[in-house]
Amino acid sequence: MNDPEFDLSRLAARKAPEPRPDAIEAAKRSALEAFDMAAKKNRQATKGTGLAARLHRIATQTWSFTMYAKYLSGSALATLIIVPIAGIAAYQVMQERAAVPTIINLPVDKKDFGGAAADKLSQLPATTPTTAEPLQSGGKAASTDELESRPLNQVVTGQSATPAEADPVKPAQGADTRNRQDLGLVEKAKENEALVDSLRAEVKKSESDTALAQDMEAPATTMNAAPAPVAGLARKMAVPQGEIAEGYIAPPVDIQVIEEDRDKFPEFKSNSVIPVATQPVSTFSVDVDTSGYSSLRRALNQGVVPDRESVRIEEMVNYFPYSYAGPETATEAFKANVTVTPTPWNKNTKLLHVGIKGFDLPAAEQKPANLVFLLDVSGSMDEPDKLPLLKASFRLLVNKLKPTDTVSIVTYAGNAGIVLEPTKASDKVTILNAIDNLTPGGSTAGEAGINAAYALAQKAFVKDGVNRIMLATDGDFNVGANSDEDLKKLVEEKRKSGVFLSILGFGEGNYQDNLMQTLAQNGNGIAAYIDTLGEAEKVLVQEATASLFTIAKDVKIQVEFNPARVSEYRLIGYETRHLNNEDFNNDRVDAGDIGSGHTVTAIYEMTPKGAPGQTNDPLRYQTNNEPDTARTSTGEYAFVKIRYKLPTEATSRLVTQPVMEGNEIADLATAPDDVRFGIAVSAFGQKLRDEDQVANYPMAEIEQLASTSRGTDAFGYRGEFLKLVRLAAGLAPN
């Protein structure tokens, strides 16, 4: 080293200090807690650990670091570093065993550094290592003696070292206490890592490539029982070119690699403008899914404009509750409300707003529910916004259930297993404990999980009640049948048993939205995306009856436009729910379902006959030469037909509603709040999809329309929407 203040050779000459008593006690307490958790885990099926995935990420990061660092490029030293760690990672992937966190202890005197670097090092808070995973050996939980024999300051898991002596350790304090300790450690670790990163940048400027190479090859006398190459590598990964204050214990080394974003959404083209003269009838399936809205909300809150294909306008509009008039009895299932208003973004067109309200089933009439929680615990779920959020979400649902309801739990990773046999919701402690004990690890055998869940649902089947599987996953199935078509056929066959399937999506970077939509649509259930605990509360608590209790299935809408009054029309959204006209009367064709109290909204933009701005040229050879003047002159804009089946029936029923001049409101400002707010949401969705129709309609006017139609907004959903509009306007003002 040229600069004596940064002479790292002094570090190599230092001796490791004696283990501190508090560190020894912390290590033994962690080991006993791990052993306690192992005993619980061994009683559960389909458990796993994320260690193999973490080691894989470490190996990947290390390889990239080594190959691109110019002081190692092309050297044999790179191989010496990579091979031991790659071997360890491969062994862990095969064994899927848990481990005590990797700990690095670098006792260093501040005098070895000078200036701002020493000051920053002194700010590092001490952390106490803990573990939520038991150390395993040969696929079995390690004994207490074996755990105690592991040293605290151990660079590579499994490296032998002299065991430290300590006083007896108190028994584990319970899962809740451990969770709080772990969260505190994570927060401290994040603070440490941020400070070390800033230090890394300062120190790196002061070192030469030669000095770095010498440091990598120097004997690792300050690293307990670690071979020199690994010790040097550990210094580079955990505290590159820096030194740690006396007594500081670094957090577990867990290199996070930013992986390729593999979120997948179904691609579709926006609905075009259709001439009434050639195609007067429009047919589609209802959609009460809401995953599209919460998915784009997450993107905007992260400062990213959502991808065009991820925006499904009908799921945005239907995300919000509306106070439409509903039916008086369950036999009517629902009621249609129609309104015609001016179009805020085009003075030459009108909007046909169709609002459907499902019968709101009173609590006294709600049948017992037989629910099977089908939970993905594969390795890809080892993220804070996946399995931990999933656990918290299902805890909310369990607390909402009636004592007579039944809950079963099936998990799947490399294979499927039953975690909880059918259990009455009155036994909440047993159910919640089963949820809390879930841990991630392994591949994703979705097909096996689905089959196991349907079998368990049949075992506890409730006649004339609710029988539903709730699949919670990040959407990636990679073992067994995994194509959309194969899984669609599986779910179609299973729904004949009377057991329905709903989907709850979690996480990002791996979310297969197209598959989740396919499963929900063919499983007679909803598809929701849980990005926050607040969203879980909305779907599983506030809208629990709508999510669980189906009042009508295979609901289809068909609108016929009057060619004497309307020349063109365009359905806003529902592109993935299109049906052929002949499918409307075919009871064998599957369609969407409506739950208790659900609202469904559909909006058409239509061009009155003779209005300027026609998109399609007049036909030279008119096919509709003899219109029914008796009907076309009645003042009808259109005729709305709705087909549906009651949950236990196989034959559909028909509801009709003409759209008359009397349903028209001349001034949009005087339209009901629900109508205006739905129009504002549809305009925002079109804006995000960059539709030509709203190209000249500014975000500010969308915000104004939504703001003036916000209404009471009891849960703040509409206020949150206004925030998203402002975020989008700031991210993409054009």
Side-chain angles (χ1 to χ4, degrees):
M1 290 289 181
N2 296 327
D3 189 344
E5 283 193 335
F6 290 86
D7 187 359
L8 294 181
S9 63
R10 299 172 64 181
L11 173 63
R14 292 185 62 83
K15 295 182 179 180
E18 293 298 324
R20 293 183 292 109
D22 60 332
I24 296 173
E25 182 179 353
K28 298 189 73 172
R29 181 179 295 111
S30 298
L32 287 178
E33 289 178 355
F35 185 80
D36 178 60
M37 293 187 68
K40 294 182 179 179
K41 287 174 58 180
N42 289 339
R43 293 195 296 267
Q44 302 293 336
T46 316
K47 295 297 193 313
T49 172
L51 179 65
R54 290 196 295 271
L55 285 176
H56 178 268
R57 291 197 298 268
I58 292 173
T60 304
Q61 177 78 357
T62 304
W63 178 261
S64 176
F65 175 86
T66 305
M67 291 299 98
Y68 288 98
K70 56 185 177 181
Y71 54 81
L72 287 179
S73 179
S75 71
L77 182 58
T79 304
L80 292 176
I81 294 172
I82 293 300
V83 169
I85 293 182
I88 295 171
Y91 178 77
Q92 295 289 357
V93 168
M94 291 186 292
Q95 297 295 325
E96 283 193 16
R97 64 188 182 93
V100 175
T102 300
I103 301 296
I104 300 175
N105 188 11
L106 297 178
V108 178
D109 197 330
K110 285 171 50 179
K111 66 184 181 181
D112 291 333
F113 277 79
D119 293 335
K120 288 190 175 182
L121 283 169
S122 65
Q123 301 173 24
L124 289 172
T127 60
T128 301
T130 184
T131 180
E133 301 275 18
L135 182 64
Q136 294 180 349
S137 176
K140 298 181 180 180
S143 66
T144 305
D145 293 338
E146 186 178 350
L147 287 169
E148 290 180 349
S149 68
R150 298 287 177 158
L152 178 64
N153 300 325
Q154 188 171 309
V155 177
V156 180
T157 302
Q159 184 78 23
S160 63
T162 303
E165 297 181 0
D167 296 332
V169 183
K170 296 180 180 180
Q173 299 299 314
D176 292 339
T177 302
R178 286 197 298 272
N179 290 340
R180 288 194 294 271
Q181 291 172 344
D182 292 345
L183 289 174
L185 175 60
V186 170
E187 293 302 320
K188 287 185 178 181
K190 289 181 179 178
E191 295 174 4
N192 295 350
E193 290 171 2
L195 197 52
V196 169
D197 286 343
S198 64
L199 176 62
R200 178 191 295 121
E202 292 186 25
V203 175
K204 189 172 183 180
K205 294 179 182 179
S206 303
E207 296 185 334
S208 65
D209 292 345
T210 302
L212 288 174
Q214 291 173 350
D215 179 54
M216 290 289 292
E217 296 173 356
T221 57
T222 60
M223 310 293 291
N224 289 345
V230 178
L233 176 62
R235 285 201 294 273
K236 292 297 180 254
M237 291 195 298
V239 282
Q241 296 82 54
E243 298 185 10
I244 301 301
E246 185 83 19
Y248 168 67
I249 299 176
V253 176
D254 188 2
I255 303 299
Q256 297 294 329
V257 180
I258 299 177
E259 299 179 351
E260 179 186 2
D261 186 350
R262 298 198 303 120
D263 289 345
K264 186 176 181 181
F265 297 88
E267 297 181 2
F268 58 89
K269 293 182 178 180
S270 298
N271 288 325
S272 58
V273 178
I274 305 297
V276 176
T278 59
Q279 192 173 329
V281 178
S282 170
T283 307
F284 63 95
S285 164
V286 299
D287 185 5
V288 294
D289 295 342
T290 60
S291 59
Y293 179 81
S294 48
S295 177
L296 71 87
R297 175 182 60 201
R298 176 171 192 156
L300 289 171
N301 282 331
Q302 292 177 340
V304 178
V305 177
D307 293 335
R308 189 173 188 267
E309 62 267 20
S310 71
V311 179
R312 290 188 291 273
I313 299 174
E314 73 278 5
E315 294 189 14
M316 297 175 61
V317 175
N318 289 329
Y319 177 85
F320 302 92
Y322 301 99
S323 56
Y324 303 143
E328 297 181 357
T329 65
T331 55
E332 298 179 40
F334 48 77
K335 180 179 180 180
N337 303 265
V338 296
T339 308
V340 177
T341 69
T343 304
W345 57 81
N346 189 341
K347 64 180 180 180
N348 297 320
T349 64
K350 299 179 184 294
L351 294 179
L352 168 58
H353 182 283
V354 181
I356 299 174
K357 172 73 171 183
F359 177 70
D360 201 350
L361 197 64
E365 298 181 20
Q366 295 173 7
K367 304 292 185 181
N370 165 35
L371 303 179
V372 179
F373 299 165
L374 176 54
L375 310 180
D376 183 352
V377 295
S378 61
S380 63
M381 294 291 289
D382 189 13
E383 300 290 344
D385 59 350
K386 293 185 180 181
L387 189 56
L389 180 57
L390 182 156
K391 291 181 182 181
S393 300
F394 277 88
R395 288 183 66 94
L396 293 177
L397 176 57
V398 170
N399 287 317
K400 174 70 175 179
L401 298 177
K402 296 183 298 183
T404 55
D405 295 334
T406 301
V407 172
S408 310
I409 300 178
V410 175
T411 60
Y412 65 94
N415 49 45
I418 297 175
V419 170
L420 183 69
E421 291 284 349
T423 303
K424 289 297 181 183
S426 56
D427 189 2
K428 290 184 179 180
V429 174
T430 299
I431 299 173
L432 295 177
N433 282 342
I435 293 173
D436 290 341
N437 287 332
L438 299 174
T439 57
S443 52
T444 316
E447 179 192 16
I450 292 175
N451 282 318
Y454 274 105
L456 204 57
Q458 285 296 322
K459 182 177 180 179
F461 192 86
V462 178
K463 186 177 181 180
D464 298 328
V466 174
N467 297 278
R468 185 176 296 276
I469 296 171
M470 306 194 74
L471 169 59
T473 178
D474 64 356
D476 190 16
F477 294 170
N478 53 33
V479 175
N482 54 29
S483 72
D484 290 11
E485 189 60 31
D486 289 342
L487 290 169
K488 174 185 174 181
K489 292 179 180 178
L490 173 63
V491 172
E492 282 180 337
E493 182 64 28
K494 295 293 186 181
R495 75 174 183 225
K496 297 176 183 178
S497 65
V499 179
F500 295 167
L501 173 68
S502 291
I503 305 294
L504 299 177
F506 290 84
E508 61 180 339
N510 195 43
Y511 188 63
Q512 306 297 298
D513 179 83
N514 55 333
L515 176 57
M516 300 301 98
Q517 292 288 318
T518 297
L519 295 180
Q521 291 176 18
N522 292 278
N524 285 3
I526 64 165
Y529 179 77
I530 308 298
D531 58 330
T532 65
L533 193 58
E535 181 64 14
E537 199 269 345
K538 175 182 183 291
V539 174
L540 300 176
V541 178
Q542 298 298 335
E543 300 174 356
T545 55
S547 302
L548 299 178
F549 298 93
T550 301
I551 61 170
K553 63 181 182 180
D554 294 339
V555 183
K556 311 168 190 174
I557 298 179
Q558 188 171 80
V559 179
E560 181 183 356
F561 291 91
N562 182 357
R565 301 296 305 275
V566 181
S567 61
E568 298 174 333
Y569 67 89
R570 175 176 68 98
L571 175 61
I572 300 175
Y574 290 96
E575 287 89 351
T576 63
R577 299 294 183 130
H578 170 77
L579 294 175
N580 297 324
N581 291 337
E582 61 269 22
D583 293 338
F584 183 74
N585 293 321
N586 186 351
D587 286 346
R588 298 184 61 186
V589 175
D590 183 59
D593 305 319
I594 293 181
S596 173
H598 252 150
T599 57
V600 179
T601 302
I603 301 174
Y604 284 92
E605 183 176 5
M606 56 186 188
T607 306
K609 189 77 170 181
Q614 301 283 326
T615 302
N616 295 280
D617 291 335
L619 297 176
R620 179 179 178 86
Y621 305 103
Q622 176 67 326
T623 58
N624 190 16
N625 292 324
E626 298 180 359
D628 187 342
T629 55
R631 292 188 180 276
T632 56
S633 61
T634 58
E636 290 184 12
Y637 278 107
F639 192 68
V640 178
K641 297 187 292 185
I642 304 173
R643 279 202 176 275
Y644 70 96
K645 302 172 187 172
L646 293 178
T648 58
E649 295 181 354
T651 303
S652 64
R653 303 186 181 195
L654 178 65
V655 174
T656 62
Q657 175 73 51
V659 183
M660 309 295 294
E661 288 180 341
N663 298 118
E664 185 170 1
I665 298 175
D667 185 0
L668 181 61
T670 63
D673 286 345
D674 285 343
V675 172
R676 291 187 294 126
F677 188 81
I679 291 173
V681 177
S682 73
F684 183 52
Q686 293 176 81
K687 201 74 174 176
L688 292 176
R689 286 190 57 81
D690 194 24
E691 306 286 5
D692 293 338
Q693 286 79 4
V694 298
N696 297 320
Y697 191 51
M699 284 285 196
E701 293 193 26
I702 295 176
E703 181 184 353
Q704 176 67 17
L705 179 58
S707 179
T708 58
S709 58
R710 181 173 175 177
T712 56
D713 194 21
F715 299 103
Y717 302 144
R718 298 188 181 188
E720 181 186 55
F721 172 78
L722 290 170
K723 184 188 76 171
L724 297 183
V725 174
R726 291 190 289 268
L727 285 175
L731 292 170
N734 295 324

